[in-house]
Amino acid sequence: MAQEITQQQRRHKDLGIPAIFDQSAVGTSSWRTRWARRLDPRTLFALMLTLNIFGLGQSSQLLVMLCLVITAVFMLVSVKMKMFIGWFTFVLINIGIFYVLPGLWPNGFVFAITFIAFWFFRFSISMGIAIAVFSVLDVQKVSAVLTRMKAPAWFYVPTLVIIRFFPVAIAELRAINNAMILRDLKPGGWGMMRHPIRVGEYVLIPFLASAARIADELAAASIIKGLGARKQTTTIVHTAFFWGDALVLVVIICLIAMRISEVFL
């Protein structure tokens, strides 16, 4: 089993697919992620855009909570259980601060903390749906969709470079953190508060240097693979609309209908 996973990761590496898009790297069981991975990239981005607009906009509390529930469900079927529990705990803490703390201890300091918790709660929707979408997003499907849509080069190339950049950059940051831990350094949040200059020297500076190198390598790989060529390109990757896309589109339409009813009724 381990040999099969290694061979699969090697094939994906040869194709230029970041490890975060591998099912083995995400670490979630297939029965939870099978339908989410079949979703069309356009459906995923439409869901992410809709939840961001309504979650951060002037929506009612009911609509915001509904966006939060949808984000939680999508994260539950997309990411590792450990990551979902951490995100859900963060959300519960901010909801508790926003709704409970002002009634227990009303003063100016609590008002400031409540204000921060309110926006942390709102941004947790954007953060959660972004993590979920990029955990199941397949860069080959994105490339195939843009090719079939005949997207211009000025949109096609930067989109693929950006999608490939962030997973590779996150993996590089984790590698730097692991290297610092082996050297008996604590690059986490507590270590940053205790020794911010040392963390910046040993983590941030190497990460920035690696980020510049990663961007150059991805741009060169895109040119080598023919991205942005003047001739019309084709793709052999199969993309199809299935019941999961229909379900997500129904959810999006219901959210839009609720928002319209709030504005005009």
Side-chain angles (χ1 to χ4, degrees):
M1 183 64 182
Q3 186 178 2
E4 293 178 359
I5 293 175
T6 304
Q7 292 176 355
Q8 180 183 8
Q9 291 176 347
R10 188 180 298 112
R11 288 196 301 269
H12 284 192
K13 183 178 181 181
D14 294 336
L15 292 172
I17 303 175
I20 195 172
F21 296 115
D22 297 344
Q23 186 173 356
S24 58
V26 175
T28 50
S29 53
S30 59
W31 66 270
R32 289 199 298 120
T33 62
R34 187 180 296 119
W35 77 272
R37 292 179 181 279
R38 290 182 58 192
L39 292 175
D40 191 276
R42 290 164 290 190
T43 305
L44 292 173
F45 282 114
L47 178 64
M48 184 169 62
L49 180 63
T50 303
L51 293 179
N52 273 275
I53 291 175
F54 295 150
L56 298 176
Q58 296 180 350
S59 305
S60 66
Q61 201 66 27
L62 177 62
L63 185 56
V64 172
M65 286 296 181
L66 186 58
C67 292
L68 181 65
V69 171
I70 295 172
T71 302
V73 172
F74 198 77
M75 284 196 70
L76 189 61
V77 298
S78 303
V79 302
K80 295 190 234 181
M81 186 58 65
K82 181 180 179 180
M83 182 178 293
F84 171 77
I85 293 175
W87 173 84
F88 192 67
T89 303
F90 176 79
V91 172
L92 289 180
I93 290 174
N94 286 284
I95 290 178
I97 293 174
F98 179 71
Y99 286 104
V100 177
L101 194 59
L104 298 177
W105 191 24
N107 55 51
F109 177 72
V110 172
F111 173 77
I113 295 179
T114 303
F115 179 79
I116 296 173
F118 170 79
W119 284 109
F120 275 0
F121 158 62
R122 289 290 189 100
F123 278 113
S124 65
I125 299 175
S126 301
M127 178 180 64
I129 193 61
I131 294 173
V133 166
F134 281 97
S135 295
V136 298
L137 189 64
D138 189 347
V139 69
Q140 286 186 315
K141 283 188 177 181
V142 176
S143 177
V145 166
L146 293 177
T147 299
R148 290 194 173 95
M149 292 176 63
K150 297 181 180 180
W154 60 265
F155 180 78
Y156 185 94
V157 177
T159 300
L160 290 185
V161 171
I162 291 173
I163 291 176
R164 292 174 184 269
F165 173 80
F166 286 104
V168 178
I170 292 173
E172 187 70 21
L173 182 59
R174 288 174 179 171
I176 293 173
N177 286 336
N178 293 334
M180 294 301 103
I181 292 174
L182 291 175
R183 290 169 174 80
D184 200 21
L185 298 173
K186 303 297 177 67
W190 179 247
M192 183 174 294
M193 288 188 294
R194 292 182 58 189
H195 305 286
I197 298 178
R198 187 173 66 176
V199 172
E201 179 183 358
Y202 291 109
V203 177
L204 294 182
I205 294 178
F207 174 70
L208 292 176
S210 299
R213 176 181 53 81
I214 291 169
D216 292 338
E217 291 177 354
L218 290 177
S222 301
I223 295 174
I224 292 174
K225 293 179 180 179
L227 300 183
R230 294 184 179 180
K231 294 184 179 181
Q232 184 63 40
T233 57
T234 58
T235 180
I236 61 173
V237 178
H238 178 68
T239 57
F241 189 86
F242 82 115
W243 65 267
D245 295 285
L247 178 62
V248 174
L249 291 179
V250 169
V251 171
I252 293 174
I253 293 173
C254 291
L255 291 176
I256 295 175
M258 286 187 61
R259 181 56 185 158
I260 292 176
S261 64
E262 291 176 358
V263 174
F264 295 102
L265 298 182

